[in-house]
Amino acid sequence: DTGVSQDPRHKITKRGQNVTFRCDPISEHNRLYWYRQTLGQGPEFLTYFQNEAQLEKSRLLSDRFSAERPKGSFSTLEIQRTEQGDSAMYLCASSLDRGREKLFFGSGTQLSVL
Amino acid sequence: SQQGEEDPQALSIQEGENATMNCSYKTSINNLQWYRQNSGRGLVHLILIRSNEREKHSGRLRVTLDTSKKSSSLLITASRAADTASYFCATTPLNDYKLSFGAGTTVTVRA
């Protein structure tokens, strides 16, 4: 399977715990995006990378959130001191570095904070 | 904030009927895309229409774009049960690279 893969698919955690999600994009894709989606809503942009450089972060991304993409390959999204409001689907997507082209999404990580 | 708004929020049709959903957006765009999402899964790209195009077809899908009205429509012809999903429009504003999504239209196709 050469699509975008995300791990884990589901994560249940207690409030205050830290969680980390991983995304493996399509290998030749330079751009990698993180989105968050809550029930009944469309995905909301969190951040994106071009290769290893994090080029933009949304205001939604509080200080508790950090994302990395070492060596321009896989990416991790960490949430520290989780809150119930962090419960959502976290989606990763990748695209070729042509700008404004279609995104290929992973299946997402569903986070539930108890 | 979300750039696009889909209408209606939900749509229920009989298999074989056509489904039409609309998207309105706020700012000038480079292109507009439609995505489908099955429950609990990631999004799948359906079709991309550029700002200088007015209509595009892909299989049973027909997309129109009216930049003067800042709106787009997605038509699914001869719907099937497998078309049951949420459909999202997404836009790339000028001078930007990231996609902004609307809240989506949930389509249910009854057998």
Side-chain angles (χ1 to χ4, degrees), chain B residues 3-12 19-25 34 70-75 87-89 101-107:
Chain B
Q3 155 88 308
E5 287 186 12
E6 286 91 342
D7 173 62
Q9 287 187 323
L11 183 59
S12 180
T20 300
M21 59 211 86
N22 303 296
C23 168
S24 59
Y25 56 92
W34 286 91
K70 291 187 171 60
S71 68
S72 173
S73 68
L74 171 67
L75 168 67
Y87 292 82
F88 296 91
C89 71
F101 288 84
T105 294
T106 300
V107 174

Side-chain angles (χ1 to χ4, degrees), chain A residues 9 31 33 35 37 40-45 48 56 59 89 91 98-108, chain B residues 2 30-31 33 35 37 40-43 45 48 50 88 92-104:
Chain A
R9 286 280 287 123
R31 290 176 180 257
Y33 303 79
Y35 283 82
Q37 185 179 27
Q41 298 297 313
E44 292 179 298
F45 169 80
Y48 90 93
E56 190 171 342
R59 285 170 292 179
M89 173 79 88
L91 294 162
R98 294 178 196 160
R100 310 182 181 106
E101 295 298 323
K102 66 181 183 181
L103 300 187
F104 293 79
F105 279 85
S107 295
Chain B
Q2 296 186 311
N30 286 293
N31 65 53
Q33 304 181 35
Y35 287 78
Q37 185 179 35
R41 307 295 295 182
L43 284 78
H45 180 266
L48 181 154
R50 303 193 187 279
F88 296 91
T92 308
L94 293 177
N95 303 317
D96 201 349
Y97 287 96
K98 61 182 182 290
L99 278 182
S100 296
F101 288 84

Side-chain angles (χ1 to χ4, degrees), chain B residues 21-106:
Chain B
M21 59 211 86
N22 303 296
C23 168
S24 59
Y25 56 92
K26 298 172 185 172
T27 63
S28 297
I29 59 172
N30 286 293
N31 65 53
L32 184 143
Q33 304 181 35
W34 286 91
Y35 287 78
R36 184 187 73 219
Q37 185 179 35
N38 291 92
S39 180
R41 307 295 295 182
L43 284 78
V44 174
H45 180 266
L46 295 177
I47 196 164
L48 181 154
I49 186 165
R50 303 193 187 279
S51 59
N52 60 353
E53 297 175 309
R54 291 296 167 257
E55 187 171 314
K56 205 160 182 181
H57 296 256
S58 176
R60 295 184 295 112
L61 304 179
R62 172 179 170 255
V63 168
T64 62
L65 179 64
D66 187 333
T67 53
S68 66
K69 295 180 180 178
K70 291 187 171 60
S71 68
S72 173
S73 68
L74 171 67
L75 168 67
I76 306 172
T77 60
S79 63
R80 306 166 181 168
D83 294 328
T84 294
S86 292
Y87 292 82
F88 296 91
C89 71
T91 54
T92 308
L94 293 177
N95 303 317
D96 201 349
Y97 287 96
K98 61 182 182 290
L99 278 182
S100 296
F101 288 84
T105 294
T106 300

Side-chain angles (χ1 to χ4, degrees), chain A:
Chain A
D1 184 13
T2 57
V4 178
S5 63
Q6 291 188 246
D7 184 66
R9 286 280 287 123
H10 303 274
K11 179 70 177 179
I12 300 173
T13 191
K14 292 182 179 178
R15 191 174 48 189
Q17 297 294 305
N18 300 343
V19 294
T20 300
F21 312 138
R22 177 181 170 122
C23 171
D24 287 89
I26 293 172
S27 58
E28 61 267 28
H29 285 183
N30 301 85
R31 290 176 180 257
L32 186 148
Y33 303 79
W34 286 98
Y35 283 82
R36 181 172 68 188
Q37 185 179 27
T38 53
L39 199 62
Q41 298 297 313
E44 292 179 298
F45 169 80
L46 292 179
T47 187
Y48 90 93
F49 293 82
Q50 181 163 323
N51 300 313
E52 66 275 9
Q54 188 173 18
L55 295 186
E56 190 171 342
K57 291 169 59 174
S58 164
R59 285 170 292 179
L60 292 174
L61 219 63
S62 76
D63 292 344
R64 298 184 296 105
F65 287 71
S66 62
E68 294 184 340
R69 192 183 181 195
K71 303 178 183 177
S73 55
F74 70 92
S75 176
T76 58
L77 177 68
E78 181 183 17
I79 309 174
Q80 295 182 328
R81 304 180 304 282
T82 52
E83 302 172 355
Q84 287 186 325
D86 296 332
S87 295
M89 173 79 88
Y90 290 84
L91 294 162
C92 176
S94 68
S95 72
L96 289 166
D97 185 18
R98 294 178 196 160
R100 310 182 181 106
E101 295 298 323
K102 66 181 183 181
L103 300 187
F104 293 79
F105 279 85
S107 295
T109 293
Q110 181 66 53
L111 173 66
S112 297
V113 182
L114 305 178

